[in-house]
Amino acid sequence: MTRTLGIIAGGGSFPITVASTAKERGERVVGVGFASDTDPSFQAHCDNFSWLKLGQLGRLIDFFTANHVTHVVMAGPINKPKALDLRPDWRAARLLFSIKARGDDVLLRALTTELEREGLTVVAPHLYSPDLLAPEGVLTKRKPTQSEREDVEFAWTLSQSLGQFDIGQCLVVREKIVLAVEAIEGTDAAIRRGGQLGGPGAVVVKRPKPTQDKRLDLPAFGLKTLQSMAEVGATCLAFEAGGCIFFEQREALDFANAHGIALLGLSPGA
Amino acid sequence: MTRTLGIIAGGGSFPITVASTAKERGERVVGVGFASDTDPSFQAHCDNFSWLKLGQLGRLIDFFTANHVTHVVMAGPINKPKALDLRPDWRAARLLFSIKARGDDVLLRALTTELEREGLTVVAPHLYSPDLLAPEGVLTKRKPTQSEREDVEFAWTLSQSLGQFDIGQCLVVREKIVLAVEAIEGTDAAIRRGGQLGGPGAVVVKRPKPTQDKRLDLPAFGLKTLQSMAEVGATCLAFEAGGCIFFEQREALDFANAHGIALLGLSPGA
């Protein structure tokens, strides 16, 4: 039987990549999007599509069920500050009521449990785009300096600890001083703030939280991340190999090489 | 013998308060200040004074020793982003070289050890201004709502954990979502960022880190903190009673009452 894939589409081109790959594999694609986040051109890549408002969980499940969806993928970021204004339907409200904290991980895990209770299988979006997983090693012409490596090591350990509290997917550090901790503002804003305050030479570390369900929401970076770094003179980006999505790899590497930024993929236990 | 108090003066009026109290108590006051931070009028409150540059640790110790200083107080904040540009003399360089991380606590503890090695006793600035220690209980006309109390509780626990890593003296939270974690940008910037992103109704939590040496650097808040909160519609400030400095208390309470902000002092174990 043909698999019917339900795509919950956040921002950017990732949902389109997933939809295209799924269709190449002969799957049927049913998508939902959010006016606040989803690229309108995503619709055209779906066999059936519906616009939802954030918080319409009952409607999401009804739409997927009516369309015989068996597997679900979440792809692309949801703008978190806007998400704070969601108006939950009774089903979303019950879910929100049942959980104590409301960090990303907790919310996504609760949503996943709810979908799986309906017989839907939640799968990782990178199963539809394995090329996007960030590779290990130094990816750029320039290698990190000794001092950058020390800052990366410092931030790497700290990031592991912070992640336990469902915050801190991105840290900006210079000379072992924490310049910025990302909370709800997003990676680019955290990089620009830390870099502006700390001056040139900062390192950026991005990795999943230790408890993060890698099916649900991998940290992502790409050309825009490197442009933000270049704006404030940040010089090194370290990330977890196999644990981050790396978008626009060719353009991003060209940009990094042109600006002398070092990219370093580390294994999780590094 | 008359005690000679050395004051290492950061920004604001706190160094002046300490100097005045010390002189009322018959102590001799020897001060150092930094052009980047210290109010120039502080000079007039000292029996002897010298301008230093950040990082001139050898010169600081020589100046205090030559002036027969026996006790040292650090009062008032040092602008951390500017402090990143410090040019350490050999003595400061040796100190920086000897420590692994460079968060506030680690730096201040290392500095204290260095001063005490010279026979100087480091004392808490609030010993010269006990009235400034933040009191316990609800200080405003309005009490925190149930929902604000839940957010405070959430942030309080998180703040305890973050503090172990020498970051996060201030957290901004709404509906159990972390809107901002303060790193190097300062409390006001963290409040404005979190409040702008998260919308009205955010709570702000400020407390010392669990490992913080309370002689050295207590978190502080005052009228400006409340003005930043009002700007973005943050509605509740919770702080550790006896563990924070509360400046301009009368003006700050008037302002909080006029803007419906609730102030809540909690005991450390709350």
Side-chain angles (χ1 to χ4, degrees), chain A residues 81 84 100-103 154 158 161-162 165 167 174-181 183-185 193 197-198, chain B residues 81 84-85 100-103 154 158 161-162 165 167 174-181 183-185 193 197-198:
Chain A
L84 274 170
K100 218 186 152 199
R102 297 192 182 160
F154 169 77
L158 177 55
S161 309
L162 284 176
F165 303 102
I167 54 169
R174 196 185 120 204
E175 292 174 31
K176 294 176 190 155
I177 296 176
V178 181
L179 303 175
V181 179
I184 201 177
E185 71 275 28
R193 177 173 81 252
L197 289 168
Chain B
L84 274 171
D85 294 320
K100 214 184 157 202
R102 292 186 188 168
F154 170 78
L158 177 57
S161 309
L162 283 176
F165 303 103
I167 53 169
R174 197 187 120 202
E175 292 174 30
K176 295 176 189 153
I177 296 176
V178 180
L179 303 175
V181 179
I184 202 177
E185 71 274 27
R193 179 174 77 251
L197 289 169

Side-chain angles (χ1 to χ4, degrees), chain B residues 6-54:
Chain B
I7 302 179
I8 303 175
S13 60
F14 199 20
I16 295 175
T17 308
V18 172
S20 308
T21 311
K23 294 186 91 169
E24 279 165 24
R25 296 184 188 173
E27 302 182 6
R28 220 178 131 250
V29 171
V30 175
V32 298
F34 308 91
S36 47
D37 296 281
T38 312
D39 182 341
S41 70
F42 169 67
Q43 278 187 80
H45 297 263
C46 300
D47 297 298
N48 201 354
F49 176 85
S50 177
W51 288 110
L52 293 182
K53 293 208 172 71
L54 286 169

Side-chain angles (χ1 to χ4, degrees), chain A residues 219-240:
Chain A
F221 61 91
L223 181 59
K224 222 176 79 189
T225 318
L226 293 165
Q227 286 168 336
S228 300
M229 288 178 64
E231 256 179 56
V232 295
T235 49
C236 177
L237 172 66
F239 49 85
E240 189 175 306

